[in-house]
Amino acid sequence: DTAVSQTPKYLVTQMGNDKSIKCEQNLGHDTMYWYKQDSKKFLKIMFSYNNKELIINETVPNRFSPKSPDKAHLNLHINSLELGDSAVYFCASADGQETQYFGPGTRLLVL
Amino acid sequence: SQKIEQNSEALNIQEGKTATLTCNYTNYSPAYLQWYRQDPGRGPVFLLLIRENEKEKRKERLKVTFDTTLKQSLFHITASQPADSATYLCALDIDGGTYKYIFGTGTRLKVLA
């Protein structure tokens, strides 16, 4: 069983489109994150939810909107995609403030 | 400005030697510092966590030190093997006990057979 799963694994789309990435964890953790890893491999936090409540919202354009329907899921919706949104997006979950378990990543390419 | 730097972008060492990776930070007071391994095309995998009141932590061939005065963590892999080749990331919670982790720039380690 995969602990943290993301769909889709690859996403190729045109500029201006709206897309969603889904994340699910079966670890029973309270906290989930979205990270963006750019072409230079720098991993940057975007959002974090704890028990379905948004607790971290970094300087991210309003086009990005996370949604947590329940503790096990954290989805990321992106409106009006831009070229600069091309990156790998990682979901992670954590039990408390310590170990984070990362998903396999979603590779987004905006053309 | 606040940042986390890892000593070098890439490090090559000979198999069997000890690899030492450095993580330096400024303007933070973290309660925890973590080290992760990331292989190409995969998500980071947790290796070790060290708390602010701990000087050293070990796990098999891995050792982490944490010096809050120097604002530095060292990550050692002893008896390195080609299978240890990967990118290693340090991460720290920037406000001491919050859920917000900031990652370092990463060091790409290559162990030569």
Side-chain angles (χ1 to χ4, degrees), chain A residues 9 31 33 35 37 40-43 45 48 50 55-56 58 90 96-105 107, chain B residues 4 32 34 36 38 40-46 49 51 87 89 91 93 97-105:
Chain A
K9 191 170 181 182
T31 307
Y33 299 82
Y35 286 89
Q37 190 168 47
K40 294 185 178 179
K41 307 299 181 189
F42 183 60
L43 196 63
I45 191 168
S48 178
N50 181 259
I55 56 171
I56 296 171
E58 282 301 280
F90 286 103
Q97 294 156 342
E98 300 190 4
T99 309
Q100 294 178 71
Y101 295 84
F102 283 81
R107 283 139 192 85
Chain B
I4 304 169
Y32 309 103
Q34 304 177 346
Y36 288 80
Q38 186 173 23
R42 293 179 175 269
V45 174
F46 172 79
L49 176 145
R51 295 177 176 81
T87 295
L89 304 165
D93 69 312
T98 68
Y99 294 89
K100 185 173 177 179
Y101 276 86
I102 302 296
F103 279 78
T105 46

Side-chain angles (χ1 to χ4, degrees), chain A residues 8-77:
Chain A
K9 191 170 181 182
Y10 298 97
L11 189 50
V12 181
T13 188
Q14 297 289 327
M15 268 176 54
N17 283 351
D18 303 339
K19 290 292 178 188
S20 291
I21 306 171
K22 296 187 175 183
C23 178
E24 177 181 0
Q25 55 99 358
N26 62 7
L27 298 167
H29 290 164
D30 289 338
T31 307
M32 295 184 74
Y33 299 82
W34 277 111
Y35 286 89
K36 178 181 179 181
Q37 190 168 47
D38 59 27
S39 56
K40 294 185 178 179
K41 307 299 181 189
F42 183 60
L43 196 63
K44 187 173 180 187
I45 191 168
M46 298 173 69
F47 302 103
S48 178
Y49 272 73
N50 181 259
N51 274 319
K52 300 196 300 174
E53 182 185 337
L54 181 66
I55 56 171
I56 296 171
N57 185 350
E58 282 301 280
T59 313
V60 177
N62 289 340
R63 299 182 294 103
F64 289 79
S65 53
K67 276 206 172 65
S68 181
D70 55 58
K71 264 178 34 171
H73 295 86
L74 180 61
N75 304 323
L76 184 65
H77 188 76

